[in-house]
Amino acid sequence: MRYFNAFVRGIFSMILGKNTTLSRRCNLYLFMLAAVISLLVWSWPSGTLTVEEERVWDRIREAQFYLYSLKTQREGVAPSQSLDPWQSGLIGTEWSIITTTVGSLTSKQISCNPLWGAIFLRWFDKAGLKRGDRIAILSSGSFPGFLISSLIAAEERGLDVLLVVSLGASSYGANDPNFPIPIILRELRRAGFISTKAAFYTFGGDYEIGAGIPPDGLEILSRSAISDDVPLLQAKSLQEVIDAKIGRLDIFKPALVVQIGGSHANMGTDDAVLSLPPGFLDSRYAERAGNGVMGLVLKRGIPVIHILNVKSLCRMTGVSEGVELEKKGPKPFKFSRAFLGLLFFAVFLFKYERWAFE
């Protein structure tokens, strides 16, 4: 009881009283209190998943297991655990003849977290979307994890989706010649995980017309598009691809555009687009959004969900950058939580006097 009373007096002294010299034991208790409060502030829960978000999480995970099983059957061997620790079936190879650029394995693994489905639902809420509203998903083959999560989330919400995909992919994306993105989408439709069929495909690569992809790679992509019964745009310039996408968007009139990856037509040729933050963007970002489809869309007042720079997205949304997979709500950075921690730290330093200015 004596120690407890000293502890309580120490707390009141630290917060309300004058700076005084405390006993060594009381100092130890105050230090332990500071550590406990700091830990609580850091681990403060950020809520749980809603029923709809849990359904989407489960649906994405089921689709991943299906793709993993299918890929294992086709190749006769299970994908490497080090490459695909979650058994998503959505991690490709380091390099192949349909690979466009060097990509990050860690980013591709993070993009397969089913929690992104819940994040997309929250972005849809931010855009004020309701059942029957129209959205466009413009994706490259580089992040099939994000693409599948966005599709399943959109269909769960009952949105009408216009889908356009460029087929080339960076390292560890949908760059397996035996399992390119048209095959992935076709098999998920056949199994009933999604219903959306792409309006058309583009080759991807430089200028999004297949430049930089060898002829054998272009042949593989062409055959995969035919197998999915989806038209493949035979464009001769980047501007022709941009015009084709904008033309389809003008007809469809989406309330929101989801931009996934770095397709050349989506990003354009203006380096200013590289300064855009990832996540939800509105017309305030239009002047720095470049001359690609994304910039043109923002200039027309249509919001964009920009999926690039995966680690920044994680810090923004609270999705883990690690390989652990938990069916829990995200823990995004909260200014109020950080401010509370800093305030407590400042009070502690001021009251827990360890030095004096002379």
Side-chain angles (χ1 to χ4, degrees), residues 51-302:
V51 173
E52 182 185 35
E53 289 170 351
E54 286 192 351
R55 281 200 306 268
V56 166
W57 196 101
D58 290 336
R59 193 68 169 167
I60 293 170
R61 200 70 184 110
E62 290 170 5
Q64 291 178 351
F65 282 138
Y66 174 78
L67 289 173
Y68 183 84
S69 175
L70 186 64
K71 197 171 186 180
T72 300
Q73 292 174 8
R74 288 189 172 197
E75 298 180 357
V77 60
S80 166
Q81 184 71 17
S82 62
L83 288 180
D84 194 2
W86 295 337
Q87 299 183 349
S88 69
L90 293 170
I91 302 297
T93 186
E94 183 175 8
W95 198 260
S96 73
I97 58 175
I98 63 171
T99 305
T100 54
T101 54
V102 175
S104 163
L105 173 59
T106 301
S107 294
K108 302 306 166 64
Q109 291 170 338
I110 293 172
S111 73
C112 294
N113 192 326
L115 191 54
W116 291 112
I119 300 299
F120 276 109
L121 287 175
R122 296 181 186 188
W123 278 325
F124 297 159
D125 288 336
K126 186 172 183 178
L129 299 180
K130 59 184 183 302
R131 183 169 295 274
D133 285 345
R134 294 181 170 185
I135 71 165
I137 299 177
L138 310 178
S139 179
S140 73
S142 296
F143 288 100
F146 283 130
L147 174 54
I148 301 310
S149 289
S150 65
L151 274 173
I152 290 178
E155 292 186 2
E156 173 66 30
R157 182 56 61 87
L159 303 177
D160 187 6
V161 181
L162 169 70
L163 176 63
V164 178
V165 183
S166 61
L167 302 185
S170 59
S171 305
Y172 305 110
N175 68 333
D176 182 342
N178 297 315
F179 217 57
I181 198 66
I183 304 303
I184 292 173
L185 293 173
R186 184 193 70 192
E187 295 301 331
L188 288 178
R189 286 201 315 275
R190 286 179 174 178
F193 289 105
I194 61 174
S195 60
T196 301
K197 189 174 185 178
F200 63 89
Y201 291 133
T202 68
F203 274 118
D206 293 339
Y207 311 110
E208 212 165 317
I209 59 174
I213 301 175
D216 288 350
L218 295 178
E219 177 63 23
I220 289 172
L221 296 178
S222 295
R223 289 201 306 268
S224 69
I226 292 171
S227 72
D228 197 23
D229 193 28
V230 172
L232 178 60
L233 183 66
Q234 302 290 334
K236 292 181 171 56
S237 68
L238 175 62
Q239 190 59 50
E240 190 176 341
V241 181
I242 293 174
D243 291 343
K245 291 186 178 183
I246 288 293
R248 186 58 67 96
L249 290 173
D250 284 342
I251 296 172
F252 189 69
K253 294 181 171 48
L256 172 75
V257 171
V258 178
Q259 192 291 127
I260 301 173
S263 295
H264 209 156
N266 295 354
M267 302 289 286
T269 58
D270 187 348
D271 288 341
V273 72
L274 300 177
S275 69
L276 284 179
F280 190 93
L281 307 177
D282 56 26
S283 58
R284 291 175 295 178
Y285 294 90
E287 294 307 314
R288 47 191 285 210
N291 56 3
V293 174
M294 183 165 57
L296 296 173
V297 163
L298 285 170
K299 288 181 176 67
R300 297 180 186 194
I302 302 172

Side-chain angles (χ1 to χ4, degrees), residues 322-357:
V323 296
E324 67 274 7
L325 190 61
E326 296 180 302
K327 192 177 178 182
K328 294 182 178 179
K331 294 182 179 180
F333 172 80
K334 294 290 186 182
F335 176 80
S336 57
R337 187 163 57 200
F339 179 77
L340 179 61
L342 288 173
L343 179 63
F344 174 78
F345 181 65
V347 170
F348 184 81
L349 283 181
F350 179 71
K351 290 294 183 179
Y352 184 56
E353 187 174 343
R354 296 297 301 273
W355 57 79
F357 292 104

